[in-house]
Each structure stands twice: as C-alpha cells, then as structure tokens.
Amino acid sequence: MLDFDPAALRARYRAERDRRLRPDGAAQYRRTTGEFGYYADDPYTPRAERAPKRDTVEVLIVGGGFGGLLTGARLRQAGFTDGIRIVDEAGDVGGTWYWNRYPGIHCDVESYVYLPLLEETGALPTWRYSPGEEIRQHAVRIAETFGLYSDALFHTAVTELRWDDDEAEWIVRTDRGDDMRARHVVVGSGTLSRAKLPGIPGIESFRGHTFHTSRWDYGYTGGDARGGMTKLADKRVALIGTGATGIQVAPHLAQDAAHLYVFQRTPSAVDHRGNRPTDETHLRDREPGWQRRRMENFLTVITGGHADEDMIGDGWTGTAALQRKILSGTVRADLTEEETELADFLKMNEIRARVDEIVTDPAVAELLKPWYRYMCKRPTFSDFYLQTFNRPNVTLVDTADTGGVTAMTETSIVAGDRSYDVDCVVFATGFEVGVSGVVSGLLPVHGRGGAQLLHTWARGPRTLHGFYSHGFPNLFHMGSLQNANSVNFTHVLDEQSQHIAAVIAEARDRKAVRVEPTVEAEEAWLATIRAHARDNLAFQADCTPGYLNNEGKPRPQNNGFSPGPVVFHELLRDWRANDGYDQVLVTA
Ligand code: NDP
C-alpha cells in the first residue's frame, strides 16, 4: 500500500513546472560578453605580454582542462616527446577547476574515480569528495608530470582553424596574434564553460558589487575557498541561484556575511553527502590498476550493468535506475516505466522529508521542497545547505511565481512586490549549455578546400564516433558529441583521450598523410546513432525548466549513443583491436 497518491503527485509536478515556464526560455539569459564582458575577466592570474608565435607543433590542443591534459598525457605515453601545445583562455591549466574557486567548491562525484591519472601521478585525494583547490592542483600535477607546460600558451583564445591542403597542416590563429601551425588539432574546450547572467531588468544599474561564482572576487570578500570571508562581516549579500553551485556556496556566505538573502526560483534536490577524509576503509583495493577498476565499477553500476559489488556506494550509485531516464546507457532495462516512476516518487519523497527533518521553520521548509522528477535537474548533495536556513541571518526569497528575480535597482533586488537592499550580488546562475566553440560557431573551422565546418554540419553534426569528420582532416573533438556521456565526465574524457592518442600514434607509425574518416564510416555511425535513439522528449517536457531540457522547450536529442558509455568504450576498444584505423588513416 502506498502512503501517497501518484496521480496527485504527478499533477503537483505539472503545476510546479507551469509556475516556472517562461515564454523566453533559454533567451532569458545574458552572455558574459560585450557590456558584460568584465564578468568573464580572469581574477586569478595577471595577463603577461608575449610575442606572437609563428612555429609548428605536432599536436595543438585547444583547452587545458582535464580533456586536454589527458590527451597530452596519453600522447606522451605513446611516445610524443615534444611538439604538444595546450592553448587556453585561462591563466593556467585546470579548465572548470581553474575558473570555479568559489567557497565550498567540491567535486560531487567521488574523487577516487573523478580525479584522473591518480596512479600515474602517484596522487591520492585527501577527501572522499575533494575540495576544488585540490582538484586544480591535481590538474597542475598532471601538466608537470607529463611535461605539458613547456609549449603551453595561456590567456590565449584560438580564433580560427584553417586547413592548409598543400602542407597538410592546420593554421591556428588566436587573439594574441599567433599564426601557428599544427599537424593535428584536438578541441577539448569544455562544455559548461561560458558563464551566463540572468536576464534581470535593470541588472546594469546596480551600483553595489557583483560577480559570477566562476570568477570569485576574494579581493572583495576576503578569505579563500575554505571560507573566512571576513570582509563580508558588515555586508548584506544576495545569492541568486540555487543549483549545484548555489548550494555549495550558500553555507559559507551565511557563515561570513552580516545577512544573506538566497533568491530561489527552483529548489534543488539536496541529498545526504557524508564527505570524509580518505582512509583505508574505503580504499581497500590499492593494488596496481585499482583506480581503473573503481572507475569501471562506478560506470557499470550507474548505467545499470552487472557488477558483483557496488564499490562506491553513494548517492549516485544508489539512484542508478533513476539517472538512466535522462542519461544514455541502459545496459539492463530491469524496470518498467511505471516502476521507474514509482521509484522516482519514493526517492523524491525521501528528499522532501529530509527538508522537514532539517529545516525548523515549516513555511521555509515548504519552499525548499523540490517538486519534479529526480533527474530533471542535476541532483545535489550537501550536509550544510538546508541547515543554513535555520540561521537568523539568512532569508530565503522564493521567486517561482515571478519567473525569478523581477528587477534590480541601484541599491536593491526586487522580487514581486518586495525589494531587498543589498551591498553585493553573487550570481550562481550557471553556464551556457554544453557545446564546444567549434559547434557553437565561436571558433570558425575551415577544412579541406576551405569548407566551413558549420556549413557542412548545417543539418547536424556528422562524425565517426563523435571524434572526426570527413573533409576536416587531423581534427579531433572531445566532449559530448555523438558519443556516450556519464556523470563522471572525466572517465568519458579519459577514454576519449586514449582513443585520440592511439589514432594519432597509428597515423605516425603508418606514415599516414592524414586522419580523416571515410564518408561511409561516418554514414554508418550516424545510422547506428539513429537506430539506437531513445525518445526522451516526453520525460523532458514534463520536467521543471532548466538547462537540461532547454529551459522547458526540449529539443529532440539525436546526438548521443544511447546504449551508453560502457558499450561505447567497449566498441572503441574493439575498433582499435580490429584495425578500425583503415576507416580513418589516409596513406596515399
Ligand atoms: P545551474 O544552471 O544548475 O543553476 C543556475 C541557478 O540560477 C538555478 O537555480 C536557476 O534557477 C537560477 N536562476 C537563473 N536565473 C534566475 C533568475 N532570473 N532569478 C532567480 N534565479 C535564477 O548552474 P550551476 O552553476 O549551479 O551548475 C551548473 C552545472 O555545473 C551543474 O549542473 C553541474 O553539472 C556542474 N556543477 C558541478 C559541481 C560538482 O560538484 N561537480 C558543482 C557545481 C556545479 P532555475 O533552476 O529555476 O532555473
């Protein structure tokens, strides 16, 4: 016997979604360019002048986050002792972990499976869920271990890639006047990397201090990512946004500010975290190969495959069946749609009950309860966030009925008919949705015969395995593109980097003139993707708006390989073992 009415819950979810749907959808946001460009400035590393580069490298990697670092490391392992150049807009390596240094930042996937190359670099995270600074330093460690600093260029944005047919090289231009050449180019410029601002009328008129969480201004707040922001002691601070970032930031702002106003439009689902220092009890297996075994185990469990044990046993592996609604990767379809929905209702009931257990004011608790299915938004985990609302210096301002904050004036934030005077506004309002500069058009690419990549892809991307395209030789894409994804994104990037390095090494060994998939291979991969495509539209349309469903206007997603990452990685290994290289190496 159920102690709740599923039909009533379904109706409540619809009503709560409808309260938040906005006609302008994703267009409500503003880019951090033009008049708002200063929101994207680097607060961490001074920009150094340098002479433009005019040289040639073997492999140029766009992006120094984990994707680029892993590719650099795998290429070194494949014998490329020099000629690897990482280019990044940031002042150092680290990608998302370079930019995001807000107080409280941690990875939300277990660090023993999230931080790549632990065994190769002799590192061990000090916490089960590492603080961001430890992850950033690990990125630096990878760059140092594999000698990736020597040719790197930072504070440099690649502005154009142009293939030179005669020399069989890429001409790479940047915003620093570089005019370089590279035999191969790997684009690993990230997915959630461009900060966005909310489209709040009057946002530009506010005269107090503002910044985005991915450019934290410790000069203004004092302290560091561990907290201690003593300069906020006399400040009234507004936090706009309660996603995965907002829930990590809020407890620290509450601790240090005179008063914190949390402006919420949709509450996150906040589950138990249980972070703890690393000890031998949860890393019993430390025999060589332990990290790969653990990563594979995590991936298998969360995608519903068979594993003898769940080595990680946390909030991700415990909700594997629910995640498969939105992520690709059903290896074992063991639940019917009805059973999945029921499991989802039960999980979300548990999350809502947790709010009641922790938050003492029943009216505030009510506002903090999420009314949508589990994977409509990225689930979050915290043992501090909900407790924050029991503090006397914290006010929760619910903005669901007004589509968010309604206006900003010179001194205040307006929500509906109430106005709140504040000294500082922190935007935890997220990032432009995950495509690389190549796909968004920010980085123009001209391939063989001058063909423009986005013209060639006018009806959608065309790749083999998401990596490369006919007409665009020696160009490799990393990230989510006609391949398989996972919440442990670094694992996905690791497999991609191994594949790319293997192909480039094979091209070297066979003296290939270019790496370029045949039209037939590309067509076959597109057909495979289409054959497996799963229709997720109905699920997405029922979801509360967010970046995962294009702000309530879901689009058909035929870009992923539905059988999921375990099958995809196996497929890549088979392809390499069975000489798939013939599909991409042009030898004469
Ligand atoms: P999100 O896009 O998830 O959240 C943005 C927040 O801003 C939402 O709460 C949104 O409300 C709110 N918002 C936007 N506009 C307004 C407005 N006009 N008025 C009021 N509120 C507004 O961004 P995050 O930075 O939180 O997270 C992005 C992604 O980054 C995560 O999903 C995750 O993938 C990753 N991440 C991972 C972490 C980790 O530990 N590994 C930590 C942090 C982030 P609404 O929901 O109503 O749209």
Side-chain angles (χ1 to χ4, degrees):
M1 245 330 251
L2 295 175
D3 60 356
F4 66 94
D5 175 5
L9 210 40
R10 230 173 270 131
R12 174 88 194 249
Y13 283 11
R14 287 234 166 83
E16 293 283 346
R17 175 202 61 184
D18 293 347
R19 282 173 81 194
R20 292 173 175 85
L21 279 175
R22 289 171 54 130
D24 50 359
Q28 69 183 278
Y29 289 102
R30 297 184 186 192
R31 299 190 121 178
T32 46
T33 53
E35 65 171 314
F36 296 113
Y38 63 92
Y39 276 97
D41 289 349
D42 183 349
Y44 313 119
T45 313
R47 191 177 156 106
E49 287 311 314
R50 65 169 176 83
K53 289 276 181 191
R54 299 271 183 269
D55 56 355
T56 303
V57 293
E58 184 67 17
V59 185
L60 185 137
I61 301 170
V62 184
F66 280 129
L69 291 169
L70 279 158
T71 302
R74 299 299 180 194
L75 284 166
R76 288 276 191 252
Q77 289 173 329
F80 290 88
T81 49
D82 55 16
I84 299 174
R85 167 167 294 154
I86 286 177
V87 182
D88 201 300
E89 293 179 37
D92 200 345
V93 297
T96 198
W97 300 102
Y98 175 86
W99 293 114
N100 286 279
R101 304 189 190 193
Y102 57 79
I105 183 169
H106 280 74
C107 59
D108 64 0
V109 170
E110 196 200 61
S111 46
Y112 320 122
V113 299
Y114 180 81
L115 272 65
L117 301 173
L118 287 178
E119 289 185 76
E120 291 83 347
T121 55
L124 187 63
T126 56
W127 284 82
R128 187 172 188 204
Y129 302 94
S130 286
E133 181 56 15
E134 181 167 83
I135 305 174
R136 194 186 69 75
Q137 283 174 14
H138 185 62
V140 169
R141 181 184 296 118
I142 292 173
E144 286 170 345
T145 306
F146 292 94
L148 299 173
Y149 274 122
S150 49
D151 280 312
L153 298 177
F154 296 113
H155 283 152
T156 303
V158 177
T159 51
E160 187 189 75
L161 297 174
R162 190 173 284 274
W163 177 252
D164 179 338
D165 281 315
D166 297 330
E167 300 295 329
E169 285 171 354
W170 285 98
I171 301 167
V172 183
R173 300 203 169 96
T174 75
D175 65 351
R176 306 291 291 258
D178 304 306
D179 198 345
M180 310 173 275
R181 287 175 168 264
R183 187 154 163 70
H184 302 276
V185 170
V186 180
V187 180
S189 53
T191 49
L192 291 168
S193 48
R194 301 215 164 254
K196 62 181 166 51
L197 296 173
I200 300 174
I203 187 172
E204 65 289 338
S205 60
F206 183 68
R207 295 283 159 257
H209 201 72
T210 65
F211 53 88
H212 188 273
T213 44
S214 65
R215 303 288 188 278
W216 197 272
D217 188 350
Y218 284 107
Y220 177 81
T221 64
D224 58 27
R226 289 166 299 184
M229 296 179 286
T230 49
K231 293 186 183 175
L232 294 181
D234 59 350
K235 301 282 189 295
R236 297 155 301 173
V237 178
L239 175 66
I240 301 184
T242 53
T245 301
I247 69 124
Q248 291 187 335
V249 168
H252 289 277
L253 286 176
Q255 176 84 32
D256 294 332
H259 199 91
L260 174 67
Y261 296 94
V262 179
F263 290 84
Q264 169 189 277
R265 186 165 64 185
T266 313
S268 277
V270 189
D271 210 345
H272 162 74
R273 174 73 302 172
N275 199 6
R276 56 188 185 217
T278 298
D279 69 34
E280 294 304 319
T281 53
H282 46 289
L283 275 179
R284 274 163 300 171
D285 173 13
R286 293 287 304 288
E287 295 300 312
W290 70 265
Q291 189 184 21
R292 179 120 330 251
R293 281 193 293 282
R294 203 169 175 95
M295 286 163 67
E296 297 290 353
N297 179 266
F298 182 74
L299 203 64
T300 302
V301 172
I302 60 170
T303 53
H306 173 74
D308 288 336
E309 63 169 327
D310 170 2
M311 292 166 81
I312 283 79
D314 74 354
W316 288 114
T317 57
T319 55
L322 307 181
Q323 292 161 45
R324 297 208 301 277
K325 281 314 297 172
I326 203 153
L327 299 172
S328 57
T330 309
V331 175
R332 189 167 49 107
D334 49 0
L335 294 180
T336 64
E337 173 53 33
E338 290 70 31
E339 286 166 337
T340 309
E341 190 194 39
L342 185 58
D344 199 314
F345 284 154
L346 291 168
K347 179 71 204 173
M348 290 303 280
N349 282 346
E350 192 185 300
I351 292 218
R352 288 184 285 267
R354 186 166 181 266
V355 180
D356 281 329
E357 278 161 29
I358 295 171
V359 178
T360 46
D361 180 333
V364 174
E366 212 45 44
L367 293 174
L368 287 165
K369 290 180 188 167
W371 299 98
Y372 47 80
R373 284 184 65 171
Y374 188 66
M375 282 302 286
C376 283
K377 297 223 170 243
R378 183 166 174 115
T380 68
F381 307 90
S382 172
D383 298 330
F384 310 106
Y385 176 69
L386 294 170
Q387 291 79 349
T388 297
F389 296 93
N390 294 334
R391 297 177 63 106
N393 70 331
V394 175
T395 305
L396 177 67
V397 184
D398 186 61
T399 65
D401 285 322
T402 53
V405 167
T406 20
M408 284 171 74
T409 70
E410 284 193 10
T411 54
S412 67
I413 294 196
V414 184
D417 54 7
R418 286 206 59 185
S419 166
Y420 301 83
D421 281 347
V422 292
D423 303 296
C424 171
V425 179
V426 178
F427 293 110
T429 44
F431 301 87
E432 288 182 36
V433 169
V435 285
S436 79
V438 165
V439 181
S440 70
L442 277 168
L443 173 49
V445 179
H446 303 267
R448 234 166 2 92
Q452 289 185 42
L453 186 78
L454 286 190
H455 283 184
T456 308
W457 286 1
R459 298 176 64 195
R462 302 174 55 81
T463 68
L464 171 61
H465 300 151
F467 291 121
Y468 19 45
S469 280
H470 187 73
F472 299 87
N474 298 13
L475 177 66
F476 301 83
H477 308 280
M478 300 194 85
S480 310
L481 185 68
Q482 299 186 330
N483 46 31
N485 214 334
S486 160
V487 292
N488 189 16
F489 198 53
T490 53
H491 186 169
V492 166
L493 292 172
D494 190 14
E495 297 286 339
Q496 292 185 3
S497 70
Q498 290 183 46
H499 194 76
I500 290 171
V503 171
I504 293 177
E506 198 71 17
R508 170 199 60 196
D509 297 347
R510 293 197 199 178
K511 301 192 173 23
V513 289
R514 11 179 244 280
V515 178
E516 182 180 352
T518 61
V519 175
E520 294 74 27
E522 201 176 85
E523 281 295 332
W525 183 243
L526 292 176
T528 303
I529 293 224
R530 278 195 290 267
H532 290 285
R534 270 195 306 159
D535 186 2
N536 221 357
L537 272 182
F539 175 83
Q540 295 229 355
D542 280 343
C543 275
T544 192
Y547 77 89
L548 289 176
N549 71 345
N550 190 32
E551 303 297 335
K553 298 182 180 183
R555 292 177 288 219
Q557 292 176 331
N558 295 324
N559 250 347
F561 177 64
S562 259
V566 173
V567 181
F568 183 63
H569 298 162
E570 190 72 37
L571 181 149
L572 293 181
R573 280 192 279 272
D574 283 352
W575 186 93
R576 296 197 295 267
N578 295 303
D579 229 2
Y581 298 105
D582 287 344
Q583 292 182 321
V584 297
L585 297 188
V586 181
T587 45

